[in-house]
Amino acid sequence: MKKIRVRFAPSPTGPLHIGSIRTALYNYLFAKKNNGKFLLRIEDTDQSRLMFGAENYIIESLKWCGIKTDEGPTIKGYYGPYSQSERNKIYKKYIKYLLNNNFAYYAFDKKKKLEKLRNDYKKNGDFFLYNYSNRKKLDNSLNISNEETFDKINKGIPYVIRYKIQKDSNLEILDLIRGKISLNSKSLDDKILFKSDKTPTYHLANVIDDHLMNISHVIKGEEWLPSMPINLLLYKSFDWDPPYFLHLPLILNPIGKGKISKRNINKYIFPIFPLKWKKTKGYRELGYSYEAFINMLVLLGWNPGGSKEIFSLKELISIFDLKKINKSSAKFNYKKTNWFNNKYLQLKSSKEIFVLFKKELKKRNIIYIKNNFIYLILNIFRKKISFLNEIVDNTIFFFKKKIKYDFFCITQIHTNNSIKHLHKIKNLLLDVKKFDFLNIKKKINKWIFYKNIKKKYILQLLRLSIVGSLKGLDIFLIISIIGKKESIKRIINIFNI
C-alpha cells in the first residue's frame, strides 16, 4: 500500500474558521493513525487576496490545536517549497506540456464580451459554458494559426490558458464517502488553468502539487466537490494516478440553515475562529482549552460509536476511521463546546488549575494572593463553571483591595440606621473567636433575631459592605474566606461613602 501522505492546504486570505480546522484535524488524525505524514501547504498564488498576518495565523492556530505538521513552510522537507508562490517555475513546466499535447489552449477573450455572452444566455433561460459547444466562435488559439497566436502574445495582448474539455465524454468520480458519481462533459466548461497575470489557478496548482508531493489521500471540504471533474481530467492528461478523494460534510449554523461562514461572522453569538483575529476573539482568548475545542470539532461529522464523548488527542489518533465520517452535514451546537470545556476543566488536577488560575489573576494585575486562599476558592467553584476566568469574574471581590460599590443598591437599602447596624456587625465579628462559617453565621443571626430586624435588609447591607453589590456566594462563607481583618476593614470603608 502507498505510504499515507495527506495535506492541509489553506489560502492565507484571512483567518481559519472551525470548518477549516476540522479539515486539518481529520487529515492529521488519519495520517497519525496510519503512521503517515501530515503536510501544510500554503496556497498563495492569488496575491491580490492575501491578508497580512494570515499565514502566521494558520501556523499558530494549528500549533495551539496540537496539530503538528511533519512538512511545511516552517518545517522543510524533501517535497518543498511548501508555498505555491515559490513554485511558479514548476507550474509553467507542466502548463507547457498541456499546451504542446493539445490538452490546453490560449484564450484572448475580453471580460466584457464574456460577461455579455453570459447575460444573453441568461436572458434566454440558458447557461453559458465556455467549451466545445461554442469555443469555435470565440477568441482563442484553436481558431487561429500558431503564428497568429504568438504574435498576439508578443504584442502583450492579455490571455488566459484554458483546459480543453472533450466532447461527450463520461467521467466517473469516486469519493470515499459518497461512492461513485457519474458525470458527462457537456456540463463542464473549459476551466482557466493559468490567469492573465501568468499565475496558476487552484485547479492546476493543486493537482501538480498533490502529485509531486506524493499525496495519497485528499481530504477536504464538500464545497470543493465541483472541482473534482477538472482535477481528474488533469490527472488523466498528465497520465498520473490520482489520490483517493474524500469530501467532508458541511458544518451548519446552530439553526441548521446554511453553513457557518466568515461572511456572517457579525451575525453569530459564538466564536468561529480558533484564535483572535483583529478585534474578533477566538476560542483561545475566550478561555477554552484546546482539548475541549478539538474534542468538540472532531464529533462534528464523525461518530466513533458508543456513548463516550471525551477523547484525548492520543485516543482520537488510535480510533480514528475515515469510514465513520458522516455523509450528512453537522449542525453546530456552541453550548456543547462549553460542556466540553467544563469536563476538561474537571479532568485537570488541582495543581494544574491553580497554575492556570494564577496566570489569569496576573493578567488582571492581581499578583500577591495567599496560595491556600486560592485553593479554597477553586475548590468551591471549579465544578460549577466552564472557564477559569468565570471564577475570577465571580470572585473578584476577594482579590480587589478597593471595592467598587453598586451605588444604586446602596441607595435602595440605605436608612439612617445603616451605619449603626454596620458598627454593631463589626463589633460582633471582632467578638467571634473561631472565625469560621458556622460561628459567624450563628453570631449575626442571633443578633438579628434578638433585635427583631429584617434579616434580608441586614444581609443585603452586609453584602454591600463586603462585596460591593448584591451578587455572590453566601455572605457568611465570603466573610470566613477573606478573614476577620479584611472583613472589618471593608465594613469600615463603607462608612466613608
Side-chain angles (χ1 to χ4, degrees), residues 138-370:
L138 299 167
D139 190 5
N140 56 63
S141 60
L142 297 175
N143 302 321
I144 56 178
S145 66
N146 285 342
E147 290 78 11
E148 288 176 291
T149 297
F150 290 111
D151 183 55
K152 283 191 171 193
I153 292 172
N154 290 332
K155 286 180 178 177
I157 295 174
Y159 67 87
V160 296
I161 299 175
R162 290 181 178 272
Y163 185 79
K164 188 178 177 184
I165 297 287
Q166 299 302 310
K167 184 179 180 180
D168 290 330
S169 61
N170 291 315
L171 190 65
E172 194 172 79
I173 299 167
L174 178 63
D175 182 274
L176 294 182
I177 291 182
R178 291 161 180 79
K180 291 181 181 178
I181 304 169
S182 296
L183 195 70
N184 189 276
S185 62
K186 65 183 179 182
S187 62
L188 304 176
D189 63 351
D190 294 352
K191 293 289 185 188
I192 295 174
L193 302 179
F194 246 66
K195 296 173 284 186
S196 57
D197 64 359
K198 298 178 183 176
T199 59
T201 60
Y202 164 82
H203 308 295
L204 181 69
N206 199 332
V207 166
I208 293 170
D209 289 344
D210 285 345
H211 174 74
L212 296 182
M213 293 180 182
N214 279 341
I215 299 302
S216 63
H217 293 71
V218 172
I219 304 170
K220 52 186 176 179
E222 185 180 283
E223 63 271 22
W224 294 108
L225 260 174
S227 300
M228 276 284 286
I230 184 63
N231 287 352
L232 290 176
L233 286 169
L234 283 168
Y235 277 107
K236 188 176 180 181
S237 299
F238 287 125
D239 198 24
W240 294 339
D241 291 329
Y244 293 104
F245 289 92
L246 188 152
H247 292 82
L248 303 174
L250 298 173
I251 299 177
L252 303 177
N253 64 43
I255 60 172
K257 293 182 180 180
K259 69 174 184 176
I260 286 179
S261 168
K262 288 186 280 190
R263 292 188 185 93
N264 297 322
I265 181 67
N266 293 328
K267 296 180 182 178
Y268 301 141
I269 60 171
F270 52 87
I272 66 168
F273 301 146
L275 313 180
K276 182 181 179 181
W277 177 258
K278 296 183 178 178
K279 294 182 180 180
T280 305
K281 289 184 178 179
Y283 281 86
R284 183 178 66 180
E285 290 72 30
L286 290 170
Y288 292 87
S289 68
Y290 84 90
E291 299 101 327
F293 178 64
I294 287 300
N295 204 148
M296 172 274 292
L297 271 186
V298 78
L299 296 176
L300 286 175
W302 175 78
N303 188 348
S307 58
K308 184 176 177 180
E309 293 185 272
I310 303 296
F311 299 96
S312 67
L313 197 55
K314 188 176 180 180
E315 285 177 306
L316 288 172
I317 290 170
S318 68
I319 64 173
F320 190 76
D321 186 348
L322 292 179
K323 293 177 182 178
K324 293 182 178 180
I325 294 176
N326 301 327
K327 290 182 182 179
S328 56
S329 299
K331 189 163 71 171
F332 181 57
N333 180 357
Y334 65 94
K335 291 182 180 178
K336 188 74 173 180
T337 319
N338 294 351
W339 179 85
F340 276 115
N341 215 52
N342 175 274
K343 294 301 176 186
Y344 274 96
L345 196 59
Q346 307 319 316
L347 289 173
K348 293 185 183 298
S349 67
S350 295
K351 189 175 181 180
E352 286 175 307
I353 293 180
F354 173 79
V355 171
L356 292 171
F357 188 70
K358 286 206 75 166
K359 286 181 181 178
E360 186 66 31
L361 290 175
K362 193 173 181 180
K363 283 181 192 176
R364 306 195 191 199
N365 295 318
I366 301 168
I367 309 298
Y368 180 73
I369 300 292
K370 290 182 180 178

Side-chain angles (χ1 to χ4, degrees), residues 10-198:
S11 297
T13 55
L16 297 177
H17 63 60
I18 56 177
S20 299
I21 289 290
R22 186 192 64 171
T23 298
L25 177 62
Y26 284 8
N27 274 280
Y28 173 78
L29 294 176
F30 176 66
K32 298 299 118 180
K33 169 73 181 290
N34 295 281
N35 298 312
K37 298 292 183 182
F38 171 74
L39 285 67
L40 172 64
R41 187 171 72 223
I42 301 298
E43 299 197 341
D44 58 350
T45 55
D46 192 348
Q47 295 287 306
S48 64
R49 294 180 61 231
L50 301 187
M51 291 192 72
F52 178 76
E55 184 173 335
N56 286 337
Y57 182 93
I58 291 166
I59 294 167
E60 186 63 26
S61 294
L62 295 179
K63 185 179 177 182
W64 178 69
C65 293
I67 301 173
K68 297 178 181 177
T69 54
D70 297 303
E71 298 172 32
T74 58
I75 305 171
K76 302 303 178 185
Y78 179 75
Y79 299 91
Y82 295 93
S83 294
Q84 288 186 336
S85 58
E86 300 175 35
R87 298 173 64 83
N88 219 34
K89 286 183 180 178
I90 299 171
Y91 306 135
K92 286 180 178 178
K93 170 187 170 183
Y94 287 99
I95 197 67
K96 283 182 181 178
Y97 170 86
L98 294 174
L99 287 165
N100 293 338
N101 288 276
N102 201 30
F103 291 119
Y105 61 93
Y106 296 97
F108 302 95
D109 310 275
K110 293 180 179 178
K111 285 184 179 180
K112 286 185 178 179
K113 184 180 179 181
L114 290 179
E115 284 175 11
K116 186 177 183 306
L117 276 170
R118 290 189 182 95
N119 289 331
D120 290 343
Y121 270 71
K122 191 175 181 180
K123 286 175 185 177
N124 295 322
D126 207 348
F127 186 75
F128 173 77
L129 287 173
Y130 197 128
N131 62 11
Y132 56 82
S133 65
N134 55 32
R135 65 168 78 106
K136 286 288 183 183
K137 306 170 192 173
L138 299 167
D139 190 5
N140 56 63
S141 60
L142 297 175
N143 302 321
I144 56 178
S145 66
N146 285 342
E147 290 78 11
E148 288 176 291
T149 297
F150 290 111
D151 183 55
K152 283 191 171 193
I153 292 172
N154 290 332
K155 286 180 178 177
I157 295 174
Y159 67 87
V160 296
I161 299 175
R162 290 181 178 272
Y163 185 79
K164 188 178 177 184
I165 297 287
Q166 299 302 310
K167 184 179 180 180
D168 290 330
S169 61
N170 291 315
L171 190 65
E172 194 172 79
I173 299 167
L174 178 63
D175 182 274
L176 294 182
I177 291 182
R178 291 161 180 79
K180 291 181 181 178
I181 304 169
S182 296
L183 195 70
N184 189 276
S185 62
K186 65 183 179 182
S187 62
L188 304 176
D189 63 351
D190 294 352
K191 293 289 185 188
I192 295 174
L193 302 179
F194 246 66
K195 296 173 284 186
S196 57
D197 64 359
K198 298 178 183 176

